[in-house]
């Protein structure tokens, strides 16, 4: 509790995951005057790892393979003009931010388009507590090294995972079963094809320009692991994971960047809420606004959901 409260005093506008990264490294963070919940430039919001053959688990055991994907967003949606490069290495324990490799990278991965790939953990991990992914995503350019691009936007990325054992596991904080309400109505996932004239489609969720709408999350279905004494180097507070839910939109204003279900919260059906103030809109066709909601267990487990709505004059 004291750690989060202290960080919030130092960086009150930032969600905890962002505050930890900025305080630990002092570089690579966005404009501190910009609202962290606003998507004003290309950004990487999260990386998601899931062990092959063990759905819902984020930490691999030695010899296991992991599927990894990254959520890269921009003001006009999720860009595909991307090139990326990552290295995987055994890592020293670190609670947040990029970890230091304790050996040479055991795998290097690169590609184009959405950053989605798999890697396998070595069978011998030499008692390293974590595995780390370090890399860069380039928009409008190509990687020239582990953290650089030759042109366009340079987006550093890092993800730390524990190495699983008999008593060391980490369930993904999956959002698949979470009910999201927009006002008093259930808010479904957006259509795969974005509408050109969203105001004309009455099946889509609409809100009025400059209005305020409550968004509510019923997060009782999100796994929150009980924590043993050994925690693979992640300095968690309490006997249970804290759940962090970060809120993002590419227009309008969200009232807060994040919500938390604290480690000592024993309620069966915790709720989180945020308010959305719609932007000013004058076009009769309306404004399509995209939202991303990212769950973090602060042990390398991340998941996300997408939502969207139409703002009408």
């Amino acid at each position: 509790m004291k750690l989060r409260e202290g960080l919030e005093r130092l960086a009150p506008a930032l969600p905890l995951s962002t505050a930890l990264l900025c305080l630990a490294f002092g570089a690579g963070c966005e404009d501190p005057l910009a609202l962290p919940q606003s998507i004003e430039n290309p950004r990487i919001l999260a990386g998601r790892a899931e062990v092959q053959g063990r759905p819902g688990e984020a930490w691999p055991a030695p010899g296991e393979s992991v599927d990894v994907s990254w959520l890269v967003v921009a003001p006009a949606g999720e860009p595909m003009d991307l090139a990326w490069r990552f290295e995987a290495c055994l890592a020293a324990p670190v609670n947040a931010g990029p970890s230091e490799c304790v050996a040479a990278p055991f795998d290097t991965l690169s590609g184009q388009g959405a950053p989605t790939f798999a890697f396998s953990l070595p069978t011998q991990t030499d008692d390293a507590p974590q595995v780390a992914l370090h890399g860069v995503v380039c928009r409008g350019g190509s990687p020239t090294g582990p953290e650089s691009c030759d042109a366009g936007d340079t987006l550093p990325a890092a993800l730390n995972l524990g190495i699983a054992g008999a008593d060391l596991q980490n369930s993904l904080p999956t959002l698949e079963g979470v009910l999201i309400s927009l006002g008093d109505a259930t808010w479904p996932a957006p259509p795969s094809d974005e509408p050109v004239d969203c105001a004309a489609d009455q099946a889509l969720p609409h809100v009025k320009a400059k209005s305020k709408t409550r968004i509510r999350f019923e997060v009782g279905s999100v796994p929150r692991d009980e924590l043993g004494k050994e925690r693979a180097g992640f300095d968690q507070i309490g006997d249970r994971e804290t759940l962090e839910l970060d809120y993002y939109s590419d227009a309008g204003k969200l009232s807060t960047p994040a919500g938390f279900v604290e480690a000592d919260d024993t309620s069966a059906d915790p709720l989180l809420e945020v308010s959305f103030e719609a932007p000013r809109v004058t076009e009769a066709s309306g404004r399509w606004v995209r939202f991303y909601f990212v769950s973090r267990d602060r042990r390398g487990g991340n998941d996300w959901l997408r939502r969207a709505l139409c703002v009408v004059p």
Side-chain angles (χ1 to χ4, degrees), residues 146-231:
E147 299 179 352
S148 59
C149 304
D150 59 8
D153 296 302
T154 299
L155 307 175
L159 180 64
N160 301 330
L161 303 168
I163 296 177
D167 299 320
L168 278 173
Q169 303 289 335
N170 186 17
S171 301
L172 275 169
T174 178
L175 296 174
E176 183 178 0
V178 169
L179 178 65
I180 307 179
S181 299
L182 181 68
D184 295 326
T186 300
W187 195 5
S192 54
D193 295 327
E194 293 191 359
V196 176
D197 184 353
C198 64
D201 190 342
Q202 295 304 311
L204 299 173
H206 289 178
V207 298
K208 286 286 190 179
K210 302 303 292 180
S211 66
K212 290 186 178 181
T213 307
R214 181 196 65 186
I215 302 171
R216 185 177 63 185
F217 306 84
E218 299 180 21
V219 295
S221 65
V222 180
R224 294 172 57 216
D225 292 336
E226 298 287 342
L227 302 177
K229 184 176 180 180
E230 176 55 53
R231 302 184 181 187

Side-chain angles (χ1 to χ4, degrees), residues 114-126:
T116 302
F117 52 83
F119 73 91
S120 297
L121 192 62
T123 55
Q124 299 296 323
T125 57
D126 299 323

